[in-house]
Amino acid sequence: MENTPEKKSRVLSMIQPTSVPTLGNYLGALKNWAAMSSDNDCLFAVADLHAITVRQEPAKLRRQSLEMYALLLAIGLDPEESVIFVQSHVPAHSQMAWLLNCYTQFGEAARMTQFKEKSLKHADNVNVGLFSYPTLMAADILLYQTDFVPVGADQKQHLEIARDIAERFNGAYSPTFTVPEPYIGKTGARVMSLQDPTKKMSKSDPNPKASVSVLDTPDEIMKKFKSAVTDSEAVVRYADGKDGINNLMGIYSCCTGLDFDAIEKEFDGKGYGDFKKAVAESVIAELKPVQDRYNEIIGDKKFLEKCAAEGAQKASYLAGKTLNKAMKKIGFWQI
Ligand code: ATP
Ligand code: LTN
């Protein structure tokens, strides 16, 4: 009897081209994408439509979108194995987002913490796109019948609203969308700022010492970890109130695979100076292959354009099927 291969799970995630990704983006999201890519049926994309919810300089947005696309290849994603594309190259995302806006309540969108935080931060530009950010994200996910969405912990609320929208639509008509599950790693889900470890590390933090970018040089990485905020106990252990050390232990654990007990043993009797140096070295080693591959491909614009065009074509085919199905259910006149 012939073996029927098990159906692979569909995995999708995206990242905004707002700046070079931080170590937080890498450990919280990108590293998991690469790890999941060989065993699942994956799509990964540059979320450029989401990026314009905050004002962007045109030339910079264009350059950063290309750079982010190159970085996705540099972290080990293979365009032969996964569909890797840019959101605005697939018009179905904008079309589906409009449909889903009409199946989302004002009150639900108004509860999103990211909307509240970004409205405070960009008080001069609280646009409707910022408000409907989660319906575009739901469109990204639901268009591909996604089972799992690997993201950092800060995106959990957006995943919940995507699930609610899917269930509401399925309930109003008949099963149309797969209801997605978030995939949040145990360690690295929330990497904190090196200068204020009570705040998440963010690529838009104005203090350059607060975050490590995946393209920082070994020297810059070492300097940033050496000046990381810790505490005065001088013991490497994971405990409440030791936010700085807990954060460094989380980073070290992600880069070395060691658990917290093993890390405490390794640094028993040693000071924070030794620990910080070891954390920086583990990060430098972790990022080196990514940086090498990035430097190899970033100058080859033709290759990157060809990959992005192929990715867009494959994504459009899949997205078109779901968009069509949803439009039929709603009752649009199809010709
Ligand atoms: P910005 O600072 O521009 O708002 P961001 O750094 O939050 O951006 P996004 O593009 O919004 O980055 O997120 C990309 C991915 O990285 C998401 O899956 C998000 O959950 C994850 N992520 C972002 N910051 C962190 C962090 N500090 N720790 C772990 N994961 C993170
Ligand atoms: N909002 C996400 C980026 C994003 C995304 C998605 C993540 C846009 N569309 C779809 C997962 C699935 C963020 O990380 N800020």
Side-chain angles (χ1 to χ4, degrees):
M1 213 169 58
E2 223 180 333
N3 271 341
T4 8
E6 233 175 272
K7 195 176 167 288
K8 286 184 176 178
S9 295
R10 172 63 56 81
V11 169
L12 171 136
S13 200
M14 299 199 183
I15 183 164
Q16 303 183 75
T18 39
S19 182
V20 180
T22 65
L23 185 64
N25 299 132
Y26 181 72
L27 297 178
L30 300 176
K31 197 179 170 186
N32 290 330
W33 300 8
M36 293 169 102
S37 63
S38 40
D39 297 336
N40 300 285
D41 180 6
C42 296
L43 295 109
F44 299 108
V46 177
D48 56 348
L49 296 172
H50 278 105
I52 66 159
T53 53
V54 170
R55 195 67 74 230
Q56 303 289 335
E57 213 185 286
K60 206 166 153 199
L61 178 63
R62 205 172 295 124
R63 178 173 51 76
Q64 287 180 170
S65 300
L66 177 92
E67 288 172 354
M68 187 61 88
Y69 191 88
L71 245 169
L72 296 188
L73 304 187
I75 62 168
L77 302 178
D78 176 359
E80 299 290 323
E81 183 177 63
S82 308
V83 180
I84 309 169
F85 66 104
V86 175
Q87 189 185 31
S88 68
H89 295 168
V90 182
H93 289 254
S94 310
Q95 293 169 283
M96 181 62 99
W98 170 256
L99 304 184
L100 299 185
N101 272 333
C102 304
Y103 296 82
T104 307
Q105 296 305 301
F106 184 91
E108 293 184 280
R111 276 198 295 277
M112 296 294 113
T113 10
Q114 184 180 293
F115 171 66
K116 292 188 214 160
E117 282 170 10
K118 292 217 168 164
S119 320
L120 288 175
K121 213 164 133 193
H122 306 276
D124 56 336
N125 182 20
V126 184
N127 60 72
V128 177
L130 190 63
F131 185 71
S132 65
Y133 183 112
T135 55
L136 176 59
M137 182 159 159
D140 299 338
I141 298 168
L142 303 184
L143 272 174
Y144 300 96
Q145 308 295 353
T146 304
D147 298 299
F148 296 103
V149 185
V151 280
D154 62 316
Q155 293 300 312
K156 195 161 174 251
Q157 208 184 17
H158 286 157
L159 253 293
E160 275 156 17
I161 200 169
R163 288 171 58 87
D164 290 344
I165 297 170
E167 278 166 357
R168 184 172 306 136
F169 194 101
N170 290 347
Y173 303 100
S174 56
T176 309
F177 300 125
T178 301
V179 180
E181 301 271 351
Y183 175 86
I184 298 173
K186 278 186 214 74
T187 50
R190 202 169 158 78
V191 176
M192 310 308 276
S193 152
L194 298 183
Q195 291 301 311
D196 176 359
T198 61
K199 268 183 21 194
K200 81 160 194 164
M201 184 181 281
S202 160
K203 44 179 145 75
S204 44
D205 196 317
N207 181 352
K209 285 164 115 186
S211 64
V212 169
S213 125
V214 296
L215 298 179
D216 277 349
T217 63
D219 239 23
E220 285 167 331
I221 297 175
M222 186 56 79
K223 275 201 194 106
K224 287 181 183 177
F225 278 103
K226 281 193 175 158
S227 68
V229 168
T230 49
D231 55 66
S232 54
E233 193 196 33
V235 181
V236 177
R237 65 184 183 100
Y238 196 93
D240 277 350
K242 286 174 69 76
D243 298 322
I245 288 295
N246 295 349
N247 188 35
L248 296 182
M249 287 178 74
I251 293 171
Y252 193 59
S253 168
C254 280
C255 296
T256 58
L258 295 173
D259 64 17
F260 290 162
D261 277 349
I263 298 173
E264 287 175 7
K265 275 202 195 94
E266 183 182 346
F267 292 96
D268 187 22
K270 295 191 182 148
Y272 287 168
D274 290 336
F275 179 51
K276 285 177 170 181
K277 189 163 168 273
V279 178
E281 279 164 357
S282 74
V283 170
I284 293 167
E286 174 79 32
L287 296 179
K288 178 150 192 325
V290 176
Q291 299 184 346
D292 289 349
R293 174 91 182 113
Y294 179 81
N295 292 329
E296 259 170 51
I297 58 175
I298 190 59
D300 196 346
K301 205 168 163 202
K302 282 264 163 329
F303 166 71
L304 295 170
E305 280 171 354
K306 181 173 161 276
C307 291
E310 282 170 10
Q313 201 184 8
K314 291 183 205 161
S316 294
Y317 171 74
L318 296 170
K321 287 205 286 192
T322 309
L323 179 66
N324 208 25
K325 188 164 150 193
M327 290 183 80
K328 242 189 211 156
K329 300 242 175 140
I330 296 171
F332 285 104
W333 179 22
Q334 301 202 301
I335 48 167

